[in-house]
Amino acid sequence: MQKNNRVSLSPLLKRYKFFFDLIKRTTDAYLFCTDMQTNVAMVSPNLVQDFGLPGEVILDFDKHWGPLIHPEERGLYMASMRAILKSRNVYEHFLEYRIKGKKGEYSWVCCRARVGLDRDGSPLVFVGMITRMARRNQADEVTGLLNKYQFEHGVKMALAGYRATGEGGAVFLFGLDNFKIVNETHNRLIGDQVLRHVARSVGSILPPMLTLYKLDGDEFAVIYPGAGEEQVNEIFTGIQRSLSQPHVVEGRTYFCTASAGTVFYPEGGKDCLVLYKHAEAAMDIAKREGKNRNCIFSKEQYNRWVRSISMRDNLRESVENGCTGFSLFFQPQVAADDQRLIGAEALLRWKNPKGRMVAPMEFIPILEETMLIIPVGRWIVEEALRVCRKWRKVVPDFKVSVNMSYEQVKDSSFKEFVNECLDRYAVPPEALVLELTESKIIADWNFVNREFDHFRKKGVAIAMDDFGTGYSSLATLKNLSCDIVKIDREFVKKILENDFDRRLVKYTVEICHSIGIKACIEGVEEAGEYELLRQECDADIIQGYLFGHPESVENFEEKFLAGKVAD
Ligand code: C2E
Ligand code: MG
Ligand code: MG
């Protein structure tokens, strides 16, 4: 190693020394200025002090600095310096890396430097500043795990690894399901204990070469070079198993589940921010699809997710503007025996701001998820009753069926709202049918029945929609007190060719009748289907394209009420 006193300032550095001495007193940053011709550097005294450099004037700064850089970043540093020295058009150096202090500990620094050219454009000096990255040097406060800055660096290193070796891998994020509830119903301290427990138990099941990072909130991450789906699934099952162990905090037992999102690189992105964004989206999809699962990023699914996010904003805007863009279509319901018009089902339609009609299957789940179904549901009841009042002047026993989500049943003020609307529009309760259209598991049947009994006592009928699909089945029929069962189109579709489905429809109608429930058959499209149903089973109501498609109010009046409606 050189002796400090042997190196003296070059004439060029001597010229700058006056400024350098002034500036170094104004900052805590580490400063350096290298004469590129002689390779002599002048450095600020704090560099000498904190990193044990031989002196404030050094020959070949990199020879002393390079070995102090963490091996994981050293290659990048050297490559950047070589580019500065060799290339005639690289004049800037910007790098974050770990550097070893005098006591042997690593800390993160950020180095920014520039090349100064002489009049002919040849490199003259290299001047820069190194700062400590306080945020990066902190571990996650709650769990003590490496934090999001180190995660970011880890992803960058994994990508650099891919560029060097061609080996891809996975970025895996997971978050705790319903963690917000733990924080809200208890307090942050308990929330923190739960996070520490998760950090410990998940940390202990990870393969030793992998690191568990803690990002914002309740989000954790693992970077897994070389992993495919199988390895990632193994990790996720491990996490599920470790979280399934009960965890006791202050005498209370907690169980938690996690939802995860995985993105493979380079397919899912070659940039740290893009990979993170994709992994987060995948995790959000896992949560929306029912939680406690791992979703693997795909471009198609991601595009759908982006659309649903923008649809959410547009729906909110529509609702805030008094439900503009929404409209109700009505589909006729006829008596099964004589095809007489007896009512209609109100079906919600929505035009997005670009004027495109969006399918109810796309926007209704979003209304439910965002609880916007509550205000929209009220608007629907009001519209449907307003129209029903008009149409009852032409068909006196006309009934309107309104679809209702479980979210609306849970809304305690919905009952009063319906009662008030019936009064306001002077429509008798017998003219209203509420259809429970819910594919999710209903948690509390006693509660649902209590709410429905309130309506039924008043005279409003309750229908169970989509019978035979999802969770609407014989088991539900046993639990739910209702007046009408709507047998789904799934069964009607095949009755002409499938004996089993035909019998199923027939017996379902019989069971319903035996317990005093009416049966409505949905989705009847062809005359042949109707004939068969007439012969084989004794349903009460038919609804389907054969007797009419869903129509706007004006078209419905023209087609099915022979234009007799007066405003
Ligand atoms: P749903 O309540 O079972 O409504 C019947 C669906 O079947 C309607 O689809 C209707 O157009 C369609 N349909 C009726 N007859 C036939 C037929 O003969 N053939 C075929 N292929 N289809 C037929 P739509 O309007 O797309 O609504 C889909 C679902 O969206 C509804 O199923 C309901 O679950 C939900 N939905 C619609 N409006 C509302 C609403 O106001 N509130 C709530 N919560 N959900 C609604
Ligand atoms: Mg319905
Ligand atoms: Mg239905």
Side-chain angles (χ1 to χ4, degrees), residues 345 403 435 437 465-467 486-489 522:
E345 176 173 4
N403 290 290
E435 293 188 7
T437 66
D465 207 352
D466 307 327
F467 185 84
K486 297 188 79 174
I487 300 171
D488 196 77
R489 170 166 165 71
E522 285 195 270

Short mmCIF file of all heavy atoms in Angstrom, two decimals, residues 345 403 435 437 465-467 486-489 522, ligand 3:
data_model
loop_
_atom_site.label_atom_id
_atom_site.label_comp_id
_atom_site.label_asym_id
_atom_site.label_seq_id
_atom_site.Cartn_x
_atom_site.Cartn_y
_atom_site.Cartn_z
N GLU A 345 -88.86 -9.48 -14.92
CA GLU A 345 -87.67 -9.37 -14.06
C GLU A 345 -86.90 -8.12 -14.49
O GLU A 345 -86.67 -7.90 -15.68
CB GLU A 345 -86.77 -10.60 -14.19
CG GLU A 345 -85.49 -10.44 -13.38
CD GLU A 345 -84.60 -11.67 -13.31
OE1 GLU A 345 -84.90 -12.69 -13.97
OE2 GLU A 345 -83.58 -11.60 -12.59
N ASN A 403 -83.59 -8.27 -8.54
CA ASN A 403 -82.47 -9.06 -8.03
C ASN A 403 -81.84 -8.37 -6.83
O ASN A 403 -81.74 -7.14 -6.79
CB ASN A 403 -81.41 -9.25 -9.11
CG ASN A 403 -81.90 -10.16 -10.21
OD1 ASN A 403 -82.07 -11.34 -10.01
ND2 ASN A 403 -82.18 -9.56 -11.37
N GLU A 435 -85.41 -11.35 -5.64
CA GLU A 435 -84.66 -12.58 -5.99
C GLU A 435 -83.30 -12.54 -5.32
O GLU A 435 -82.56 -11.56 -5.51
CB GLU A 435 -84.45 -12.64 -7.51
CG GLU A 435 -85.71 -12.82 -8.29
CD GLU A 435 -85.41 -13.08 -9.77
OE1 GLU A 435 -84.23 -13.24 -10.15
OE2 GLU A 435 -86.38 -13.11 -10.54
N THR A 437 -79.83 -13.38 -5.55
CA THR A 437 -78.87 -13.84 -6.56
C THR A 437 -77.50 -13.77 -5.94
O THR A 437 -76.88 -12.74 -5.98
CB THR A 437 -78.83 -12.91 -7.78
OG1 THR A 437 -78.31 -11.66 -7.34
CG2 THR A 437 -80.16 -12.68 -8.38
N ASP A 465 -82.81 -17.54 -6.70
CA ASP A 465 -82.41 -17.46 -8.10
C ASP A 465 -81.41 -18.57 -8.44
O ASP A 465 -80.76 -19.12 -7.56
CB ASP A 465 -81.76 -16.10 -8.34
CG ASP A 465 -81.89 -15.65 -9.78
OD1 ASP A 465 -82.34 -16.44 -10.61
OD2 ASP A 465 -81.54 -14.48 -10.07
N ASP A 466 -81.28 -18.85 -9.73
CA ASP A 466 -80.22 -19.72 -10.26
C ASP A 466 -80.17 -21.08 -9.58
O ASP A 466 -79.08 -21.61 -9.34
CB ASP A 466 -78.85 -19.03 -10.12
CG ASP A 466 -78.85 -17.65 -10.74
OD1 ASP A 466 -79.57 -17.47 -11.74
OD2 ASP A 466 -78.16 -16.76 -10.22
N PHE A 467 -81.33 -21.63 -9.28
CA PHE A 467 -81.36 -22.91 -8.57
C PHE A 467 -80.63 -23.98 -9.38
O PHE A 467 -80.85 -24.12 -10.58
CB PHE A 467 -82.81 -23.34 -8.31
CG PHE A 467 -82.90 -24.57 -7.48
CD1 PHE A 467 -82.83 -24.49 -6.09
CD2 PHE A 467 -83.00 -25.83 -8.06
CE1 PHE A 467 -82.88 -25.63 -5.31
CE2 PHE A 467 -83.04 -26.98 -7.29
CZ PHE A 467 -82.98 -26.88 -5.91
N LYS A 486 -86.29 -20.33 -8.78
CA LYS A 486 -86.06 -20.13 -10.22
C LYS A 486 -85.03 -21.15 -10.70
O LYS A 486 -83.86 -21.08 -10.31
CB LYS A 486 -85.58 -18.70 -10.50
CG LYS A 486 -86.63 -17.65 -10.13
CD LYS A 486 -86.22 -16.28 -10.58
CE LYS A 486 -86.47 -16.08 -12.06
NZ LYS A 486 -86.19 -14.69 -12.49
N ILE A 487 -85.49 -22.09 -11.52
CA ILE A 487 -84.59 -23.16 -11.96
C ILE A 487 -83.72 -22.62 -13.11
O ILE A 487 -84.23 -22.08 -14.09
CB ILE A 487 -85.39 -24.40 -12.38
CG1 ILE A 487 -86.19 -24.88 -11.16
CG2 ILE A 487 -84.48 -25.50 -12.93
CD1 ILE A 487 -87.19 -25.96 -11.45
N ASP A 488 -82.42 -22.78 -12.95
CA ASP A 488 -81.48 -22.13 -13.87
C ASP A 488 -81.52 -22.71 -15.28
O ASP A 488 -81.83 -23.89 -15.47
CB ASP A 488 -80.06 -22.27 -13.31
CG ASP A 488 -79.12 -21.31 -13.97
OD1 ASP A 488 -79.16 -20.12 -13.62
OD2 ASP A 488 -78.35 -21.75 -14.87
N ARG A 489 -81.15 -21.88 -16.22
CA ARG A 489 -81.11 -22.26 -17.63
C ARG A 489 -80.20 -23.46 -17.92
O ARG A 489 -80.42 -24.21 -18.86
CB ARG A 489 -80.68 -21.03 -18.43
CG ARG A 489 -80.37 -21.34 -19.85
CD ARG A 489 -80.26 -20.20 -20.77
NE ARG A 489 -79.62 -20.68 -21.98
CZ ARG A 489 -80.17 -21.48 -22.86
NH1 ARG A 489 -81.42 -21.87 -22.71
NH2 ARG A 489 -79.51 -21.90 -23.92
N GLU A 522 -86.28 -20.83 -15.98
CA GLU A 522 -85.59 -19.74 -16.68
C GLU A 522 -84.96 -20.23 -17.96
O GLU A 522 -84.57 -21.40 -18.07
CB GLU A 522 -84.45 -19.22 -15.80
CG GLU A 522 -84.88 -18.37 -14.65
CD GLU A 522 -83.68 -17.63 -14.08
OE1 GLU A 522 -83.01 -18.16 -13.19
OE2 GLU A 522 -83.42 -16.51 -14.56
MG MG B 3 -81.49 -16.65 -12.69
#
